[in-house]
Amino acid sequence: MPILLGLDTGGTYTDAVLFDQARIAAHADGHVHGGVLATAKSLTTKHDLAIGLKGAIEAVLPGLPEGTKPADIALVSMSTTLATNAIVEGHGAPICLILLGYDVKSLERAGLKQALGLDPVVFVAGGHKPTGDEQAPLDIETVRSAILAHAPKVAAFAVSGYFSVRNPAHEIAVRQMIRDLTDKPVSCGHELTSKLDAPRRALTVALNARLIPQLQQLIRAVSGLLAQQGIKAPLMVVKGDGSLIDQQVALTCPVETILSGPAASLVGARHLSGADTVMVSDMGGTTTDIAMLRAGRPVLNKEGAVVGGWRTMVEAVAVHTYGLGGDSEVRVDEHHGFMVGPRRVVALSLLAHLYPRVLDTLKAQFASEEMMAYRGQFALRQRPLDTGAEGLSDGQMKVWDALADGPVALADLIFSPAIGRNLARLVDRGLVIIAGLTPSDAAHVLGRQTSWCVEAAEIGAELFLRRAPHAGWVPPADGKALAGAIVEQVVLQSGRVILETSIAEQAGIDHHHWGTLGRYLVDRSLSAAQDSTALIDVALKLNFPLVAIGAPVGSYYGEIARRLRTELIIPPHADVSNAVGAVAGGVMQRVAITITQPTEGIFRAHLPGGLKDFVDLEAAVAFARETAAAEAGALAKRAGASDIELTHERDDKVFEQPGGLRIFMESLVAVTAFGRPALAQE
């Protein structure tokens, strides 16, 4: 039986796991942990992902069974939280969005304008009607001018046409023009979804284009490292629904890896714990992802994944993602007071561990009695430029150059508001990251962690207390007390988000609609101790067991489960659950074709390659099913599947008038292709 290698590149750690399928199959309870040969962790190095990946892969390969070698590995599969983290933190490569046939007011819908920020948007005449007929001719010259003007300044293009899911002809034409005129990647709306909702489709394709450079960097790094080790196995990537796709397919649709990490962790949690119906909380360095397993299967969000406040059109696990992790920024907010997150920063203890001179800077700041802004905060490069120097303004380039030799204290970097704005733009693009106080530092102060520089964490906590006072927040007495307050805040915020998810799933009530009373009841239930003098007692109970996975959970989730009054399960290898899930899934591709009736007696199939009319509905359905089956099978094979099986669906929408008259509206014909990943020897 083959050996499998699972990888996960997260915001903080890169994990690697080796599996022996023979031992998995023979294990009595069927859990994947029965086949685990070795696990390894290495720090993720965003400036050069190959460094962290190399460390994890080299550390895990000695766990191969005697007599086997790296070339015997039959499959490599990878999940990644990088796409999710990039959206949550507002990072991404600069893009140009070309909208065909859209109204300017579309920018105000689905959060599209806010999501694009300063990236250019070009409105072009064109697009189609609901019937698939042309709404207006495509303005070729405007498209050409926009491509030539913006190509030098962006990393990718995104194209979304009005009703392109009913006829993709204009998107296909613009895509070809971009490929002819530039070497930049291009993403089209009809390639990502077959559902209506033009602004949300535009949002999805924009996010997809933004993520392409980051996923390219990751896949190139993994491919190069595998080649160095003599591993020739297929490389797969986990999608947001927990299924797998070949690396080349992933490069064309990176947005489908949104929630790849959470999906893999959910699949991994199922296989590691053996639990069937549970709530799963995955706490990493950047986010906490909460989802449900029902009857052993991940619950999917058919309406599209919601990440960082944006509702995409990517069908993925119904996961609630929150900016709360071991490396979340500790801060005092003028509106919300003392809190943790949502932004990820580099822990001071880790920064000083990687760059020992940082400790000297912290000591100097601690010894200084002068007023100093940005105490205990640093900036450093996070990854290479994605568009070259021409993508930066002069001011941004000066900040970038100042960080060439490693971390720089913000107190020595920011001398004017303009420098602060330029730094913020580099942070927004994910090129630069801030370092500051985090829960990981608090764990070092309290002795719960010792792997990094404890002294840097201790000084960082003391410097945090010296910051300018904020109204409504009373600072703790010393750094150790602050560390305890940080841990308590993580417990409280984690409990809140678990209850937020539970209430949303059960009652459909978003936490924004709780009101003052709802927030009071939740916080009272989560308080460390009930007040015996209070007039009322509040006790909310989570009825399902809570499975906690992720590296930091041991520091917090015992107390969180106690306050939620539920059973806690932390399974074996919980800290590498994402890598486990990466090799536990299968390949799945779905193709849906809509059939409409533009005029009486004509049934129009909106096919991937265009339109086809029929005079008989059943003939249209049969042709659509045959086309969808061929397309789904081809997509599954291209995605890396073998032994493909097909399932068919049909959903007719018929309006029934009083008196029994039935009027056909539309029919949806869908085919799903499922197969196991093709292994090297196959």
Side-chain angles (χ1 to χ4, degrees):
M1 295 292 283
I3 305 296
L4 314 180
L5 172 61
L7 300 171
D8 173 66
T9 300
T12 303
Y13 281 108
T14 295
D15 300 334
V17 182
L18 276 177
F19 301 93
D20 180 346
Q21 269 200 345
R23 288 175 58 185
I24 294 171
H27 203 259
D29 59 8
H31 299 170
V32 168
H33 65 76
V36 173
L37 298 172
T39 69
K41 278 183 174 291
S42 181
L43 285 168
T44 295
T45 45
K46 285 193 176 182
H47 68 284
D48 185 355
L49 292 171
I51 297 173
L53 284 160
K54 185 173 187 287
I57 293 172
E58 289 182 348
V60 83
L61 288 180
L64 284 167
E66 187 176 351
T68 61
K69 53 189 182 298
D72 295 325
I73 293 174
L75 176 73
V76 180
S77 188
M78 171 178 63
S79 75
T80 173
T81 59
L82 290 182
T84 305
N85 294 345
I87 294 173
V88 169
E89 297 180 71
H91 298 164
I95 64 161
C96 175
L97 174 62
I98 300 177
L99 298 177
L100 314 176
Y102 278 68
D103 187 279
V104 176
K105 294 180 181 178
S106 298
L107 279 179
E108 306 300 328
R109 294 180 55 200
L112 184 56
K113 185 176 182 180
Q114 295 90 331
L116 287 169
L118 299 176
D119 286 343
V121 184
V122 180
F123 291 89
V124 179
H128 292 81
K129 300 176 183 179
T131 59
D133 296 316
E134 195 173 68
Q135 172 180 270
L138 178 63
D139 187 343
I140 297 292
E141 286 309 311
T142 298
V143 173
R144 182 184 302 274
S145 298
I147 294 170
L148 295 175
H150 294 293
K153 304 173 185 177
V154 301
F157 284 88
V159 183
S160 184
Y162 206 63
F163 279 105
S164 63
V165 295
R166 294 292 171 85
N167 190 339
H170 286 181
E171 284 190 359
I172 293 171
V174 173
R175 179 182 66 191
Q176 190 58 49
M177 287 181 64
I178 293 170
R179 289 175 175 172
D180 290 342
L181 296 172
T182 80
D183 61 352
K184 301 297 170 83
V186 56
S187 177
C188 293
H190 77 276
E191 298 171 317
L192 300 174
T193 181
S194 60
K195 295 180 180 178
L196 298 176
D197 192 334
R200 199 147 63 91
R201 190 166 61 254
L203 170 69
T204 303
V205 75
L207 293 175
N208 189 67
R210 273 187 176 170
L211 295 169
I212 289 173
Q214 295 191 40
L215 195 64
Q216 282 179 337
Q217 183 188 2
L218 174 61
I219 288 178
R220 285 171 184 160
V222 175
S223 299
L225 290 168
L226 296 179
Q228 289 175 18
Q229 296 291 341
I231 300 173
K232 300 178 181 180
L235 174 60
M236 310 290 285
V237 181
V238 182
K239 290 171 56 181
D241 60 3
S243 64
L244 308 178
I245 49 176
D246 179 78
Q247 58 166 323
Q248 293 302 323
V249 177
L251 285 175
T252 66
C253 52
V255 76
E256 292 194 1
T257 70
I258 285 177
L259 305 180
S260 162
S265 68
L266 199 61
V267 174
R270 164 71 183 94
H271 286 273
L272 289 173
S273 69
D276 288 326
T277 301
V278 292
M279 179 164 282
V280 179
S281 183
D282 178 8
M283 186 180 195
T286 305
T287 61
T288 292
D289 305 309
I290 303 169
M292 283 292 300
L293 281 170
R294 290 189 183 275
R297 294 183 177 274
V299 175
L300 298 183
N301 185 344
K302 298 292 185 180
E303 297 303 313
V306 179
V307 184
W310 314 119
R311 180 173 287 280
T312 71
M313 299 190 82
V314 178
E315 188 172 298
V317 292
V319 64
H320 297 253
T321 300
Y322 302 89
L324 178 63
D327 296 328
S328 293
E329 180 182 26
V330 176
R331 62 194 182 95
V332 181
D333 184 270
E334 58 180 313
H335 300 295
H336 303 98
F338 183 65
M339 63 182 300
V340 177
R343 184 172 72 167
R344 174 184 175 263
V345 297
V346 177
L348 293 173
S349 51
L350 172 58
L351 192 70
H353 175 75
L354 298 174
Y355 303 92
R357 60 185 171 83
V358 166
L359 182 58
D360 296 331
T361 303
L362 289 170
K363 287 179 178 179
Q365 291 185 359
F366 183 71
S368 174
E369 295 183 1
E370 65 178 280
M371 293 296 295
M372 184 186 303
Y374 310 109
R375 294 175 187 269
Q377 292 177 285
F378 296 78
L380 67 156
R381 291 181 179 181
Q382 181 167 232
R383 59 185 177 87
L385 290 177
D386 41 32
T387 60
E390 69 273 13
L392 302 182
S393 68
D394 290 342
Q396 291 164 10
M397 199 66 214
K398 288 179 180 178
V399 174
W400 179 258
D401 289 341
L403 302 176
D405 297 326
V408 176
L410 295 193
D412 299 328
L413 180 67
I414 301 178
F415 295 106
S416 69
I419 295 175
R421 289 192 295 271
N422 287 323
L423 175 63
R425 179 59 177 155
L426 293 175
V427 171
D428 287 343
R429 285 179 55 174
L431 296 171
V432 171
I433 189 168
I434 303 300
L437 194 66
T438 70
S440 295
D441 292 315
H444 278 78
V445 173
L446 296 173
R448 299 183 182 185
Q449 283 182 242
T450 57
S451 52
W452 302 333
C453 182
V454 174
E455 188 177 4
E458 292 172 341
I459 296 175
E462 295 292 344
L463 290 174
F464 187 92
L465 295 174
R466 293 188 186 180
R467 294 186 188 179
H470 288 75
W473 181 61
V474 179
D478 54 32
K480 192 166 186 177
L482 174 63
I486 293 170
V487 170
E488 171 61 23
Q489 190 63 27
V490 171
V491 169
L492 180 60
Q493 288 182 219
S494 297
R496 279 181 191 153
V497 298
I498 291 170
L499 288 177
E500 282 179 19
T501 301
S502 303
I503 293 170
E505 290 292 323
Q506 179 170 312
I509 302 174
D510 185 85
H511 72 279
H512 294 297
H513 300 124
W514 283 2
T516 304
L517 176 61
R519 285 190 292 272
Y520 170 78
L521 294 175
V522 166
D523 284 354
R524 283 292 302 143
S525 178
L526 292 171
S527 60
Q530 293 292 328
D531 184 357
S532 60
T533 65
L535 293 176
I536 60 171
D537 228 0
V538 180
L540 299 176
K541 180 179 183 296
L542 188 65
N543 284 333
F544 293 117
L546 177 65
V547 176
I549 53 179
V553 296
S555 297
Y556 309 105
Y557 269 77
E559 181 62 17
I560 292 167
R562 186 186 71 79
R563 298 191 194 184
L564 291 171
R565 301 160 182 85
T566 191
E567 175 191 354
L568 175 66
I569 302 172
I570 300 181
H573 310 296
D575 60 331
V576 291
S577 183
N578 290 35
V580 171
V583 291
V587 177
M588 183 174 66
Q589 292 288 313
R590 184 174 184 269
V591 173
I593 294 176
T594 301
I595 299 171
T596 62
Q597 186 175 212
T599 58
E600 181 71 26
I602 297 296
F603 300 96
R604 175 168 292 172
H606 299 265
L607 306 169
L611 308 177
K612 188 173 180 65
D613 291 342
F614 299 83
V615 295
D616 177 71
L617 174 60
E618 293 308 314
V621 168
F623 188 85
R625 181 178 291 125
E626 181 181 342
T627 302
E631 184 79 6
L635 287 174
K637 186 174 182 179
R638 180 170 170 248
S642 63
D643 299 332
I644 298 170
E645 298 179 0
L646 302 177
T647 59
H648 303 79
E649 307 166 52
R650 175 179 175 180
D651 181 19
D652 291 341
K653 293 183 179 179
V654 178
F655 178 69
E656 190 165 342
Q657 291 184 323
L661 179 63
R662 292 167 59 85
I663 300 176
F664 173 82
M665 304 297 291
E666 68 176 37
S667 181
L668 184 71
V669 176
V671 176
T672 300
F674 184 86
R676 62 185 181 85
L679 304 179
Q681 54 262 52
E682 296 178 335

